């Protein structure tokens, strides 16, 4: 019997990811509001900068953080922008450097599948970020590459 191959996209397939971006966005909005920024304007700029990243095939929290910082740099004074950048970097690290929250039953399902198939991860995310999450998840042992 020919061995099967399964290819997974890790974020929001093996572990929670979108909820992290939602929290990150909410906390960025709170920081922006704390500096008196018009949230409609700031969010519009953020969306535009983030879309520019997508067009370059760049996905991930690091690029989103860069877009957030860019908005601060454009809308705040230099001193305020540096303070806001520090604040959002702390939030970023708090949210995104923690090990991913693996969905219940994922490890057991991968173990079962690995008996009859080669398992691979294919992602458009930042390579270093994705590698870290794969290692921290404890799921790396089930994947062939």
């Amino acid at each position: 019997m020919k061995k099967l191959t399964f290819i997974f996209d890790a974020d929001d397939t093996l572990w929670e990811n979108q909820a992290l971006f939602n929290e990150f966005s909410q906390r960025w909005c709170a920081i922006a509001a704390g500096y008196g920024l018009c949230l409609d304007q700031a969010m519009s700029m953020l969306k535009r900068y983030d879309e520019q990243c997508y067009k370059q095939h760049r996905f991930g929290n690091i690029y989103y953080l860069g877009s957030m910082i860019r908005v601060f740099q454009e809308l705040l004074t230099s001193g305020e922008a540096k303070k806001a950048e520090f604040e959002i970097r702390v939030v970023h690290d708090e949210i995104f450097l923690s090990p991913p929250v693996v969905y219940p039953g994922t490890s057991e399902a991968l173990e079962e599948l690995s008996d009859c198939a080669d398992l691979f991860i294919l992602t458009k995310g930042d390579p270093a970020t994705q590698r870290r999450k794969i290692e921290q998840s404890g799921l790396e042992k089930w994947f062939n590459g």
Side-chain angles (χ1 to χ4, degrees), residues 3 7 12-13 27 49 56 60 82 86 90 92 96 103 107 110 119 129 145:
K3 195 166 190 179
I7 301 172
D12 293 316
T13 302
R27 293 183 60 189
Y49 293 146
Q56 297 172 2
K82 286 179 183 175
F86 176 79
V90 168
H92 171 273
F96 290 106
Y103 290 123
S107 186
L110 292 174
L119 308 180
T129 300

Side-chain angles (χ1 to χ4, degrees), residues 21-90:
F21 277 89
N22 295 345
E23 179 183 352
F24 192 38
S25 295
Q26 290 170 354
R27 293 183 60 189
W28 179 81
C29 285
I31 293 169
Y35 284 93
L37 294 181
C38 169
L39 290 183
D40 287 340
Q41 178 189 24
M43 287 300 295
S44 176
M45 290 177 75
L46 178 60
K47 182 180 178 189
R48 187 173 69 247
Y49 293 146
D50 204 38
E51 286 173 351
Q52 290 171 359
C53 285
Y54 291 156
K55 288 178 183 175
Q56 297 172 2
H57 305 288
R58 299 159 93 190
F59 296 89
N61 61 71
I62 292 173
Y63 305 113
Y64 195 47
L65 171 64
S67 295
M68 291 174 162
I69 290 169
R70 191 169 167 194
V71 172
F72 286 151
Q73 290 170 341
E74 289 208 24
L75 296 179
L76 298 172
T77 66
S78 177
E80 288 176 326
K82 286 179 183 175
K83 288 179 188 176
E85 178 181 343
F86 176 79
E87 290 175 48
I88 199 61
R89 284 184 183 278
V90 168

Side-chain angles (χ1 to χ4, degrees), residues 87-110:
E87 290 175 48
I88 199 61
R89 284 184 183 278
V90 168
V91 169
H92 171 273
D93 291 355
E94 176 186 314
I95 292 172
F96 290 106
L97 293 183
S98 298
V101 177
V102 176
Y103 290 123
T106 299
S107 186
E108 295 82 359
L110 292 174

Side-chain angles (χ1 to χ4, degrees), residues 11-24:
D11 291 336
D12 293 316
T13 302
L14 304 175
W15 51 70
E16 183 68 54
N17 195 59
Q18 187 58 49
L20 303 178
F21 277 89
N22 295 345
E23 179 183 352
F24 192 38

